[in-house]
Every structure is written in structure tokens, then in C-alpha cells.
Amino acid sequence: MRSATTDGSAANTSRAAPPSKASAGAAHSRNNEVTHQDRTGQRKSRDMSNTNAQKIGFIGLGIMGAPMAGHLLEAGHQLYVNTRGPVPEPFASKAMVCATATDVARQADVIFLMVPDTPDVEKVLFGEGGVAAGLTQGKVVVDCSSIDPIATKEFARRILDLGCGYVDAPVSGGEVGAKAASLTIMCGGDEGTFGRVRPLLEKMGKNITLVGNAGDGQVCKVANQIIVALNIAAVGEALVFASKAGADPAKVRQALMGGFASSRILEVHGERMIKRTFAPGFRIALHQKDLNLALQGARSLGVALPQTASAAQLMNACAALGFGQEDHSALVRALEAMANHPVAQA
Amino acid sequence: MRSATTDGSAANTSRAAPPSKASAGAAHSRNNEVTHQDRTGQRKSRDMSNTNAQKIGFIGLGIMGAPMAGHLLEAGHQLYVNTRGPVPEPFASKAMVCATATDVARQADVIFLMVPDTPDVEKVLFGEGGVAAGLTQGKVVVDCSSIDPIATKEFARRILDLGCGYVDAPVSGGEVGAKAASLTIMCGGDEGTFGRVRPLLEKMGKNITLVGNAGDGQVCKVANQIIVALNIAAVGEALVFASKAGADPAKVRQALMGGFASSRILEVHGERMIKRTFAPGFRIALHQKDLNLALQGARSLGVALPQTASAAQLMNACAALGFGQEDHSALVRALEAMANHPVAQA
Amino acid sequence: MRSATTDGSAANTSRAAPPSKASAGAAHSRNNEVTHQDRTGQRKSRDMSNTNAQKIGFIGLGIMGAPMAGHLLEAGHQLYVNTRGPVPEPFASKAMVCATATDVARQADVIFLMVPDTPDVEKVLFGEGGVAAGLTQGKVVVDCSSIDPIATKEFARRILDLGCGYVDAPVSGGEVGAKAASLTIMCGGDEGTFGRVRPLLEKMGKNITLVGNAGDGQVCKVANQIIVALNIAAVGEALVFASKAGADPAKVRQALMGGFASSRILEVHGERMIKRTFAPGFRIALHQKDLNLALQGARSLGVALPQTASAAQLMNACAALGFGQEDHSALVRALEAMANHPVAQA
Amino acid sequence: MRSATTDGSAANTSRAAPPSKASAGAAHSRNNEVTHQDRTGQRKSRDMSNTNAQKIGFIGLGIMGAPMAGHLLEAGHQLYVNTRGPVPEPFASKAMVCATATDVARQADVIFLMVPDTPDVEKVLFGEGGVAAGLTQGKVVVDCSSIDPIATKEFARRILDLGCGYVDAPVSGGEVGAKAASLTIMCGGDEGTFGRVRPLLEKMGKNITLVGNAGDGQVCKVANQIIVALNIAAVGEALVFASKAGADPAKVRQALMGGFASSRILEVHGERMIKRTFAPGFRIALHQKDLNLALQGARSLGVALPQTASAAQLMNACAALGFGQEDHSALVRALEAMANHPVAQA
């Protein structure tokens, strides 16, 4: 928190950039910084101009988390943040930087998580200095990370046992979608809690669905990543086949766009394969992680995913060939290596 | 042919119902027989209203061929037909029924084929009584069958050696598309020949593309069938996973429709999987044939299609389980059997 | 046949190298060539020394067929041969070279086939100048080719309808086994016919099993080729994994040889992978053909072979990478390409 | 240690069978050897004949660990044990039962681990009350568990940093092999340390190989499990194909036993598939865990294992169908479900 005088958590929280009292107001009309500077005065005025301003925690200010949290900040909410690396702007100067996730949970009413993987979520929630230790009844945890659906059900249960709400809300759309606030957000949780956080999610995304109970958002995200990976592989096999058979892959793609083969992937990733534009977008290495979630889930649930399992091996091949940091449309490169033939020349 | 007096092929062609000159008009009011009977009279009047009427051959009046040929008939063209089984209406009464493919080729200027498989096309073209024997310079063969691209290149070469044109023009869209004249048609051939037959193809389909040289239409069709099969498998794996994980597959499909996972298959076949509407549509048994074309082609060309090969085995499983005559969206049933869990209740 | 005077088939058969009457006897004591020249005299004497000598047809004197037929010749049988290319020695000089398969069938009592593929067998048996036209009741056809089991059942039925016997007897062991008369021979047919040809098969192989009825020999050969391919792939994946993980593949192979992972393939092909000795042996291109038989059969029968289908794609990749004419142990090269890591240095 | 009266570690260790009161205390402040020496007459004589008796720790007395540790006990070594559940006989009465792994490490010179999975090994070694806390320079840790090779390299490094030795020594052969002291043991470590523990390993197994450095034993075990799984799948596909094609699978297996398809798996697991004897043996659920190690390793290393990935999905299907606790030869049941046809009747 800003200062030891405003609350008891001085030891735990800090403000990265000390505020300058005088100048803040005018300069930051849009971000309403003065509010932060002078809580007793300006703060009140912001609350007046934004009667819905909430105390929101955001843990994980990475490539995705930073722009997502940024939209909440821009909407006038008070943010309490915690992240592994250095705190980026504008959070360093405009948000309350907390030393621990526990502190975030103590200060905020709704706590968002956007961290890499299942163990990270577990640690952030229940590890030392974790969210759970700071929660009080009625607060809500919203996990936007893409993690294991089965673990999510367990995490949700433990948070609910504390008298709090839990919504899993993984997103699709990548960095571009995060910046443009156009993410697809797949939610799991009860309707009441979802209704409470929905206005916040709407600041970050456009296509927001309550799929079902806790964990179902993660299930839906896994389903999304299965389809996306397999549709990429489908387009890849079709174009490699067509190209090596002597046809023009661009014309083939064009001919297929109107029929049953049409898909967003044929449109976007198909074009990438032909134009050789493999700068990410969504990296193969990340999609590998997501397919691993699918396959671990499949093993736990007793589901066979032969196509997903096979596509995951193609991604391994891509990584082995040095393309792990390229866009996932570069999955076609594994097929090209096996056919000893590129879909098109660079 | 209509009569021995109009041409020399009386011995070879026949009219399913021999016309009686006098009474024809009244007897066949429905089939407009008089036109055929009295070319110089009634026919002329039709020809006047359709100055582009051509002599068109059509070999193969099956489930797909009949409606396709029907559109050509309706457009006022003179049809010369040959098919394996009984000649269906309206062709029996309104088209010239030829005893052999050779006869069709002798009479018509453009000869369409719509037969089941590569050996059928080979036999119809080059077997005894085949098309090749009846061709003269300048005629055009249009093969709408879905067959082996590599064999097609050879067939085309042999027809071109006779001084004729060749266009492979396989279609996508099924019986529904054939009846509605909304087929997607993927063509291979030279531009001149394509330009000549394009107006005829436009009577049968909407999305008509010259993909490239002879064989490229078939290549494109194979690419189409690869993508369609793999997108079905993708949606199948995603929905089986989601459903067994406890989520509502209908809500998952809905949530995915707006993002990168969106496709015609998610829309149409995804809904079929959820609503359990597996009446064809396009049968698994036919898709098995098409994937076999893909895999045989892959072997010939030196292309690895791991996802297609795996999906073909899922289709085998469907057939083994008794679903070979269901719509290809029933591919999900193989995944359901392996997961011991249906996506949804019937 | 030898001469126009001995039978009526002079026009159809020929002796490639005319015998020199004088010297033959002494020079060819072992092969007793004079006997062939003078049936009524010398021949009788041979028959006396080999009371089991039979008139045997052999169609297909390729890499496998020639050594196999050679063993029958050495055993003192009279051979009637027909092959696509030039007739190799010793058959050109010591066997009756027939112009057509029909002639072979007319002269011989047991007719062996060793030709490349299903259509070849069909043509040799039932095509123009084929075996069927020369058969008379009581003769036996033995097909040593590796072909489609389902087609075999049909071929057998048609031969049996002629009052003849049919045994399918595909072999395993390659050129080395053919030369060493150590082939494994998997037979299908009735016990009586099998018993009749068994002594002949014993001249060519060591492990001879009557698996079941007509076609079951081919079924067994397909099963053999499935296991061999998949065991190669198994050893390949294990060694690529171990090697890229930093272990010495030779030591890993050694450690595994005594346990449940032990197999002929680990022993022989595993060593090839480590020592990089990919000279055939049994070529990938031939194994591709055999896996295709398996997969076509699987489609017909309603069987899913996911592992075989996947391995076939790895073989396609090998072919694409230029290794189609290497030994099938080179299947590991596809895996090495995907891992960007060789099991061992050449 | 045995009792509160004999040493100061009463809180940590216990002896199920009361110790001999007189001698223990002073003599064994640290190692408490006399107790074992002078327990009864027999024991003493054995110890005399075994001048090489060592102080050995064994952590994990489950289905595998108990018989393995038993052989060490029978060989006259002094055992210090710790396990999760109740301590089984003969350890409860004849070994020193330690309350923690730390205690085991304090007392023993060589500490064996035989626990289920990677996190278990990590916890036993480095968790609270773990082995590391009790180690002093010169002691040796031998991990017989089957775990992640990459994690093993890290564990080894940390143990070596303490001035101790580390050998990973996963085993193959199952409960039967453990009881019969016929396990195959695949070791990783330096030659000196391996040489020191080899005599102990020889009490438990027969085929003991130093594959390479730390972790290479685990790598080799993964390679073993890959081959075993894929050879089972190979035999399964071959037998399902043969059986549905109408051949007798028992005769097919017999015919294949002498050729290139021969393997321990064809022999043992092939017979199980035909005789329907699926009582374990090695359970599918455990093999799923091992294939997961392979696939996680493959992802980390950049290796594509398409066949292993596909086989893992077949195992998922087995589990879904209720066969997860059957022997891994029951993998064939997934293929049978997909073919809608059993290899043989029960």
C-alpha cells in the first residue's frame, strides 16, 4: 500500500515510484492519478466520477496480464498488483504494488490471476504468502490462467470453503486480443459470482461465456486449444499434400474457403503457411503446454485423444527443428520436414 | 438417339420409351416429348429461347450425377446419357439414352463423368465401349468424379493426345448441394477449356475455381476431404473431452464459435454430435474412400499425413461399430467408444 | 517345351540355350541335363534315381523366385518356368521355359507363383494366357507372393471351382532366406493339398506352418509385417529418445536385450540403427507395400490399426527423405529427422 | 532406532519386535549393530559367514520394494527401513524401522529408494525429514524407482554436492522378478559408485548394466517401457487383424514365433491375448505412468514419439473401458473395442 499510515500493511507493500503530490491531477486526467496520490482528497473525487470503481487485485503482469490489468486500470479501478519480475508501467506508478499475494488478497475484493501454469496458480493461491491467507468472506478469485481443469475444481473448492467466490476465466486471443480488449473468455463458476465479475471481464474481452461450474472454463479452453491445434494440422497436411502434388497452395486455399473446409484457421493460419509469416502470434512452445494439459486431463479422465496426441508430437518435432518460438501455424514445418517439401517458398 | 434417321448410331443408342410419332405430344405431356420428336418444330422454339444449347454427354446418373445432369437439362441443353443401372427420370424421357460411353462421346461435344472411383473412370474412358473410342478432335471430357489425382493426370494426358480437352472437376457439397446447384467445384485443366465448360459448371455449383492444371482439381478435392475429416475429428475430441470432464458440450461449442476454433465443421457437425443427428449427409463409408485416395496419394508422392492416417483408423472403427452408413460427423462415435462416454444423450 | 516333336506346344515354349548333345552328360552330372534332352532315355534314369521328381511350374523368377525355384531344380524336379524379364540361369538351360502361364499350367502338376502384387497374381492366374486356362483337374496352385488376403480367398475359390487345389504360401526371410532355403512359410489351404506340397516347400524354407484355410497364409504374412514394422518403430523411438537424452544407445540396447523388450528386431535392426548399416535387407519401399496391404485389409474388414497407420506415415517420410531403397531399419531416420538428432554417428 | 533405551532416537525410530535388552545401548550409539549380531543363535552364525554385511537403508517397502529389500536382508545385511504404510514382515521384526528417511540416511551407508513417482523421490530425498538431511560424506543413494530421467540428473547433482554417491537403478521384471531376484536393473552413475553397490544389486537382479552417467538408468528404463508398450500394441494389432480376417490367432502366433516378428512380448503377451489371461503382471495404470514419463521427457528433450503417443491413447481407452488394473497385455482390448471383435473368446 501507499503508506504506512493508510493501512497496516506497510511492511508488505510498496509504491515503486513515489508520488509527486503537486502535479499529478492535471497531467493524468485520463488515469486519474491524483486519486492515488491523495486518497483522502482526490480519491473521493474519483469515486464520485466512477461510482463503480472497485478494489481489484491482479497477480501476474506478464505479456498477457499487463494489458489485461491495464484495461481495468483505465476503467478507473484501484489495482493491487503482484508479479514475479519488475512491476511494469503503468502499474509501478499507478497501482498499489503488493509484496505478496496475501497482501493483494487483503486489500482487493476481486483478485485476478494470470500466471503460467498449474503449479504457479497453486503456489499463488495456497503457498506461503499466497492469496488464501489474505482472503476474507465474500471476496472473489478469478483465475485467467490456462491450467489443468481438474486441479481447478480442487482449487475452487478450497476457495469456496473460505466463504469466497471462484471463477476460472481462461482467455483466448493472445497478446493482440489482450491489448485490444477483444479476448474470448471462457468461464466456470456459479451464476452469481460470474455476474459480479462479468463487468470486469467485459473490459478485457468481447466473447464472454459462462460455460458451467468451476473448472468448466478451463475445460472449454482445453477444448479450444485441441481444435485450434488440430485444425492447424489439418490445413498443414492438406497444403503440404496439395503443394507436393503440384498444385498452387494459394489457389487450393482459395477454392476451399467457401465450403465445408472453411475455418478461421484455414483463413488465418493457412495464409501464414503460404506467405511464410511465422512470427508469433501464439507460440508453438505455449501450445505444447496447452496440449499437455489436454493429454494429462485425458489420462486422468479416461479419454483417448489420438489426434491431439499425434499433433503434440508434431509440435515436439517443430521444437526440435528450432521452431518452438514461432507461431503455431509453423506446425506445418514438421509436416514439411517429413515430406521433404515446403508448402511454398519463403 | 432419337431415331435412325437423324444419325447413324441407331444400333448403339436407344430411347428408353420408344416414341410414337403421332401420339407423343399428348402421351408425354409431362416430359415434353414432342420437342424431342419434332426437332425442327418444338425443339427449334426451345433452341430459340436458348441459343447456347449444347450437346452434352453425362455418364453416371447416380445420387449425385442425376441432379447435376438435371440442371443441365433444365438449362435447355441436349443430353446424351449413359449409366450403370436403369436410367432415371427425367432422363429416360427427355435425354438421349446411349448404350455405351462411346456413343455418348460420338454424339456430345462435352462429356461429363460422375462415377464412383478411379477404376470406374478408367473403364468409362478407356475400356471397351469407352469414351475415348467415340471422341473426335475438339471435344471435352469433364470428370466430376472424386478420384486419384495422379491417375487423373495420366487420363488427361491420354485424352489430350486425342486432340481433346480435359477438365477434372470434382465437387463438394453432397446430394443437397447437387440438388440445390450450390456445389463447390474444384477444377484442373487449361484456362481455355475451363472457360468453355465454366458456364455449364455454373448450372451445377456456385463456388467454381480453376485450381491449376489437369489433376489439380482432384488434388484440391483430396485437400478438402483431409481438412473436413480432421476438423470433424478435432471437434469430436474437444467435445468428448469437455463432456467427460463434466462440461455442457453445447455451451462449449457456443463459447468456441467466435474464436480461432470456429469453423463450418464446428457449426454444422458439432451441432450434429450434440443433437445426435447422424442421418447423412455425407457417409463415413464415402469419406473412408476419399481418405484412402489421400493416403494412396501420399504414399505415391512421398508425403506423410499422420493426422489423416489416424483419422482414417477412427473411421474404420466407426464402420466396425456399425456406423459406416451414418453421416461423417458420426466419427465422434469412435472417440466416444474409446472414452466409454457419449458427448450427449440421444 | 523341349521340341516340337514331343508335344504340341512348340509354338508356345522354347529352350533358351540349345543343349549340346555330346558333352552334356558328363559336364552336368549333377543336373543331368541330358535327361532333359532325351526324355525317353536319360530321363527315365533320373526318374529312377529320384522317384519323387515332379513336374513343377514356377512363374516369377525375380530376386526371391529364382533362388526358391533353384532349390526345386536342385532337388531333381522338372521345372516349367515363365517370368517377365529374361529367364536367368540355371533356368534358361535347365528348365522348360514356357511362353505363357497357360503353358506352365498345362505341363506342370504343381504351379508356384512368386510375383510382386495382387494385380500381378490376378493377371497370371486369370488374365489372357493365364494359369487358369491351362489347369486340369487335380493340379495345384501355390502362391508364394505376398498379396491381399481377401483377394486370395476369391482367387482360391475360382481355382477350386476348376477342380484344382490352392495354397497361399507367402514367405518371410528375404533374399538371404530364399538363397539359404531358410524361409518362414505361412500357408493357407486344406490339409490334403498342403500335405501334397509340403515336401516342395521344405526345399525352400524351414519354418512351415499351415495357418488355416485359403487366404490365412496371407493373413499371417500381413500380421508378420505389421509386427516387424511396429517393432522397428518401437526400437527406433526408444533409441532416439535414449540417444537424445544423452545415453549411449549401444549400452541401452545391450541392457534391454535380456528383458521384456527383447526381440529379433532389437537384436538385428537395433544394431543396424546404431552401426548405421542400412544396406538392405528388406527395403522400406517393399514394407510400404506390405503395410498398404494391411491397411487396405483393415478398411475392408473393419479393423482399426492406429499404430500401423502411423508407422506407414513414418515410412512415407523415409521415402520422401530419400531412404526408400534402404533397409526397413532405416525407419529410424524419420524419427531422427523429427528429433533433429541421429541415434548415432555414421 | 529400536528402542528408546538403546539410543537417543526414540522419537524417530521404532523396532516392531522388542530388542535384546542387555547389549544394545552403549555400543550402538550411532549404528546399533550388536542387536542384529546377537539376536539369536542363527543370526550370529549367519553374520559370521557374511563378513561383508553392510548397513543398508531401504525406503519404500511396497509390492516391489519389500521382496527386493528382503533379498538384502537374507544376504545378512543390516537393514534400516522406512515406508509409508505399516512395515511388513520380515522387516518389522528383523530390520531397524526408522521414523523418517533422515534417520535411515543417518544410520545406513547405502540408501535404496523404491517409491512410486518423481515427486515421491523428490520428497523422500529433499523434503522435510528427507534423506539429504541425514547424509554424510561418502554415503550412497540408490534410486530403484522408475522416474523422470531429467529430474534424476538434478537429484543426482544435489546428492553429489553433499559429497555422496548417486546411482539410479530402475528395474524391470515386475513382482515376479522382484521375488525371484531376477530383475533387469538399468543403472546410471559413475563406475566407482556402481562398483560399490553392484554386489547389492546382484542380490536383487540378474541382468545388471551400467548404462552411463546419472539419469541414464532412468533413460534406459523409459526406453524399455516404450519398446514393451509398442511391442504389445504390435502384437495386438496383428492378432486383431488376423482374427477378424478369419485366421486362428494361436496358429498365427505360432507361425510368427520363429521369424523376424519374434519377441518376448509375442511369446508372453501374445499368449495372454489369446488365452485371455489378463490378471497382472504389470498393470496398464502403471504403464500409463511410464509412458507419461516418456512423453514428458520427449517434450523436454525435443523428440517426437508418434507411436508411443498413440499407444498411450490406447491405454487411456483401456482405462476408460475398465481395464486399467489388468495386465498391460490387455492393451489389445482397446483395439478389440475399435474393431468390434475380440482376438479370441474368453
Side-chain angles (χ1 to χ4, degrees), chain D residues 19-346:
Chain D
S20 95
K21 291 165 190 166
S23 58
H28 308 275
S29 56
R30 192 161 147 268
N31 289 310
N32 204 7
E33 185 133 69
V34 174
T35 305
H36 279 240
Q37 298 312 322
D38 190 6
R39 200 142 126 237
T40 66
Q42 287 294 75
R43 187 61 187 271
K44 196 180 290 177
S45 68
R46 188 174 72 170
D47 283 349
M48 274 188 250
S49 70
N50 181 4
T51 53
N52 294 319
Q54 299 178 44
K55 295 179 185 172
I56 296 173
F58 210 106
I59 298 167
L61 298 171
I63 291 174
M64 293 295 292
M68 289 167 70
H71 297 304
L72 297 172
L73 198 63
E74 285 167 21
H77 296 295
Q78 169 119 8
L79 257 70
Y80 299 80
V81 302
N82 175 266
T83 194
R84 275 203 296 204
V87 176
E89 285 301 334
F91 309 99
S93 46
K94 296 192 185 158
M96 300 299 172
V97 178
C98 301
T100 67
T102 303
D103 291 332
V104 172
R106 279 198 191 113
Q107 306 296 335
D109 296 320
V110 179
I111 301 100
F112 284 84
L113 273 69
M114 190 61 176
V115 295
D117 212 342
T118 310
D120 303 299
V121 172
E122 183 167 26
K123 195 177 161 194
V124 164
L125 290 180
F126 306 109
E128 212 183 313
V131 166
L135 290 176
T136 50
Q137 208 166 347
K139 298 196 174 191
V140 176
V141 171
V142 183
D143 181 20
C144 294
S145 320
S146 289
I147 67 162
D148 181 18
I150 298 163
T152 290
K153 288 181 209 275
E154 170 68 10
F155 298 162
R157 194 191 54 69
R158 293 171 70 182
I159 296 296
L160 264 63
D161 284 352
L162 299 173
C164 299
Y166 191 96
V167 174
D168 48 305
V171 307
S172 171
E175 190 181 353
V176 171
K179 286 181 174 166
S182 65
L183 293 168
T184 293
I185 311 182
M186 297 152 268
C187 303
D190 67 87
E191 287 197 20
T193 311
F194 174 70
R196 187 170 154 200
V197 301
R198 180 173 194 136
L200 299 172
L201 295 171
E202 283 171 346
K203 301 295 178 196
M204 304 187 249
K206 280 182 174 157
N207 191 7
I208 300 159
T209 312
L210 178 63
V211 178
N213 298 325
D216 286 351
Q218 298 294 356
V219 167
C220 191
K221 177 67 191 293
V222 168
N224 184 77
Q225 296 303 78
I226 288 173
I227 293 180
V228 169
L230 296 187
N231 283 10
I232 292 172
V235 171
E237 291 201 356
L239 294 185
V240 169
F241 177 91
S243 176
K244 194 160 184 184
D248 177 346
K251 286 190 179 160
V252 168
R253 174 178 165 279
Q254 200 56 45
L256 299 183
M257 286 285 285
F260 270 114
S262 70
S263 69
R264 276 296 295 284
I265 296 299
L266 178 63
E267 190 186 335
V268 176
H269 297 69
E271 189 175 42
R272 277 174 169 273
M273 293 176 197
I274 292 164
K275 296 199 173 164
R276 316 307 283 176
T277 49
F278 294 126
F282 188 75
R283 290 170 208 276
I284 281 182
L286 284 172
H287 214 146
Q288 285 185 286
K289 182 208 113 184
D290 289 350
L291 292 191
N292 195 46
L293 284 180
L295 293 167
Q296 296 301 322
R299 190 160 65 101
S300 299
L301 294 166
V303 171
L305 301 177
Q307 305 288 119
T308 302
S310 172
Q313 299 308 305
L314 294 177
M315 290 202 180
N316 284 5
C318 283
L321 293 165
F323 307 126
Q325 298 309 314
E326 291 194 349
D327 184 74
H328 52 168
S329 55
L331 175 63
V332 73
R333 289 188 187 271
L335 298 164
E336 291 174 340
M338 294 174 86
N340 201 15
H341 177 89
V343 164
Q345 298 302 327

Side-chain angles (χ1 to χ4, degrees), chain C:
Chain C
M1 301 310 307
R2 259 186 321 145
S3 78
T5 56
T6 53
D7 60 46
S9 64
N12 295 329
T13 63
S14 69
R15 191 67 187 280
S20 97
K21 286 169 188 169
S23 62
H28 304 275
S29 56
R30 187 159 146 274
N31 286 310
N32 205 5
E33 181 130 78
V34 174
T35 306
H36 280 242
Q37 300 313 319
D38 184 358
R39 228 173 191 170
T40 49
Q42 290 290 80
R43 181 63 184 280
K44 200 178 287 172
S45 70
R46 188 178 72 169
D47 284 349
M48 275 186 247
S49 68
N50 178 3
T51 51
N52 294 320
Q54 299 178 43
K55 293 181 183 173
I56 296 174
F58 210 107
I59 298 167
L61 298 171
I63 290 173
M64 293 295 291
M68 289 167 69
H71 296 305
L72 296 173
L73 199 62
E74 285 169 19
H77 297 295
Q78 170 114 11
L79 257 71
Y80 299 81
V81 302
N82 175 267
T83 195
R84 275 204 297 204
V87 176
E89 285 302 331
F91 309 100
S93 46
K94 295 189 184 161
M96 299 301 169
V97 178
C98 300
T100 65
T102 304
D103 292 333
V104 172
R106 277 197 193 115
Q107 305 296 334
D109 295 320
V110 179
I111 301 100
F112 283 85
L113 272 69
M114 190 61 175
V115 296
D117 212 341
T118 311
D120 303 299
V121 172
E122 182 167 27
K123 195 178 160 194
V124 164
L125 291 179
F126 307 110
E128 213 184 310
V131 165
L135 290 176
T136 50
Q137 209 166 347
K139 296 194 173 190
V140 176
V141 171
V142 183
D143 181 20
C144 293
S145 320
S146 289
I147 66 163
D148 181 19
I150 297 164
T152 291
K153 288 181 209 275
E154 169 68 10
F155 297 163
R157 194 192 52 70
R158 291 171 70 181
I159 296 296
L160 263 62
D161 284 352
L162 300 172
C164 298
Y166 191 97
V167 174
D168 49 303
V171 307
S172 172
E175 191 181 352
V176 171
K179 286 181 173 164
S182 65
L183 294 168
T184 293
I185 311 182
M186 297 152 267
C187 303
D190 66 87
E191 287 197 19
T193 309
F194 175 69
R196 188 168 152 200
V197 301
R198 179 172 195 137
L200 300 172
L201 295 171
E202 284 171 346
K203 300 295 177 196
M204 303 187 249
K206 279 180 176 161
N207 190 7
I208 300 159
T209 313
L210 180 62
V211 177
N213 298 324
D216 287 351
Q218 298 294 356
V219 167
C220 191
K221 177 68 191 293
V222 168
N224 185 76
Q225 296 303 78
I226 288 172
I227 292 178
V228 169
L230 297 186
N231 284 9
I232 291 172
V235 171
E237 292 201 355
L239 294 185
V240 169
F241 178 91
S243 176
K244 194 159 185 184
D248 177 346
K251 286 190 180 162
V252 168
R253 174 179 164 277
Q254 200 55 46
L256 300 183
M257 285 286 286
F260 270 116
S262 71
S263 69
R264 275 294 296 284
I265 296 299
L266 178 63
E267 189 187 337
V268 176
H269 297 69
E271 189 174 43
R272 277 174 168 273
M273 293 176 197
I274 292 163
K275 296 199 173 164
R276 316 306 283 174
T277 50
F278 294 127
F282 188 75
R283 290 170 207 278
I284 280 181
L286 284 172
H287 216 145
Q288 286 185 286
K289 183 208 110 183
D290 289 350
L291 292 191
N292 194 45
L293 283 180
L295 293 167
Q296 297 300 323
R299 191 161 64 101
S300 300
L301 293 167
V303 172
L305 300 177
Q307 305 288 117
T308 302
S310 173
Q313 299 308 305
L314 294 176
M315 290 203 179
N316 284 4
C318 284
L321 293 165
F323 307 127
Q325 298 308 314
E326 291 193 349
D327 184 72
H328 51 170
S329 54
L331 175 62
V332 74
R333 288 188 186 273
L335 297 164
E336 291 173 339
M338 294 174 86
N340 201 16
H341 177 88
V343 163
Q345 298 302 327

Side-chain angles (χ1 to χ4, degrees), chain B residues 90-167:
Chain B
F91 309 99
S93 47
K94 294 194 185 156
M96 299 300 169
V97 179
C98 301
T100 66
T102 305
D103 291 333
V104 171
R106 277 197 193 115
Q107 305 297 334
D109 296 319
V110 178
I111 301 100
F112 284 85
L113 273 68
M114 192 60 177
V115 296
D117 213 341
T118 310
D120 303 298
V121 172
E122 183 167 26
K123 195 177 160 194
V124 164
L125 289 180
F126 306 109
E128 214 183 309
V131 165
L135 289 177
T136 50
Q137 210 165 347
K139 296 194 174 191
V140 176
V141 171
V142 183
D143 181 20
C144 294
S145 320
S146 289
I147 66 163
D148 182 17
I150 298 163
T152 290
K153 288 181 208 274
E154 170 68 10
F155 298 162
R157 195 192 52 71
R158 291 170 71 182
I159 296 296
L160 263 63
D161 284 351
L162 299 173
C164 297
Y166 191 97
V167 174

